[in-house]
């Protein structure tokens, strides 16, 4: 089972999908919720960084685009982990 420390390291480096964490390895709900909260914090931090660059009238559009792309990737990872919290219902 993946530990919270494993999740922190994986999410901080953005390797959650590539490393297989959250895919095929069992995680309990508490660990998933903590992972989601870490991703949400990083998402908010990126939002603040993007706003700061835009407020400075930064001409570094490439950096802004990279931050926005990372923010979208985080949103997808949050959605993926949130889906794991909801049990599958076979209809």
């Amino acid at each position: 089972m993946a530990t919270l420390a494993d999740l922190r390291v994986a999410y901080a480096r953005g390797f959650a999908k590539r490393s297989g964490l959250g895919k095929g390895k069992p995680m309990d709900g508490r660990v998933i919720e903590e992972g989601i909260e870490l991703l949400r914090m990083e998402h908010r931090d990126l939002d603040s960084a993007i706003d700061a660059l835009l407020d400075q009238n930064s001409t570094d559009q490439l950096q802004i685009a990279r931050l926005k792309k990372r923010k979208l990737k985080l949103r997808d990872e949050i959605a993926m982990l949130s889906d794991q919290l909801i049990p599958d219902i076979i209809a």
Side-chain angles (χ1 to χ4, degrees):
M1 182 182 310
T3 66
L4 180 57
D6 293 336
L7 284 173
R8 284 187 177 141
V9 170
Y11 290 131
R13 294 184 181 161
F15 294 141
K17 283 187 178 178
R18 288 182 294 236
S19 67
L21 284 175
K23 260 185 165 172
K25 293 185 180 181
M27 292 189 291
D28 67 2
R30 183 186 57 79
V31 174
I32 293 173
E33 288 172 358
E34 290 175 1
I36 290 171
E37 187 55 37
L38 288 172
L39 290 173
R40 285 184 177 149
M41 286 189 320
E42 186 176 350
H43 190 271
R44 284 190 297 266
D45 291 344
L46 281 173
D47 199 30
S48 297
I50 291 168
D51 288 342
L53 284 173
L54 293 174
D55 288 344
Q56 295 173 358
N57 293 324
S58 176
T59 57
D60 192 0
Q61 295 300 314
L62 184 59
Q63 179 65 22
I64 293 170
R66 286 179 180 154
L67 291 174
K68 286 182 177 182
K69 187 174 182 177
R70 175 69 184 141
K71 190 175 159 189
L72 288 172
K73 188 181 236 185
L74 285 172
R75 187 183 69 185
D76 291 343
E77 290 180 23
I78 290 168
M80 179 191 69
L81 286 175
S82 295
D83 288 345
Q84 289 183 5
L85 289 174
I86 301 169
D88 290 335
I89 299 174
I90 300 173

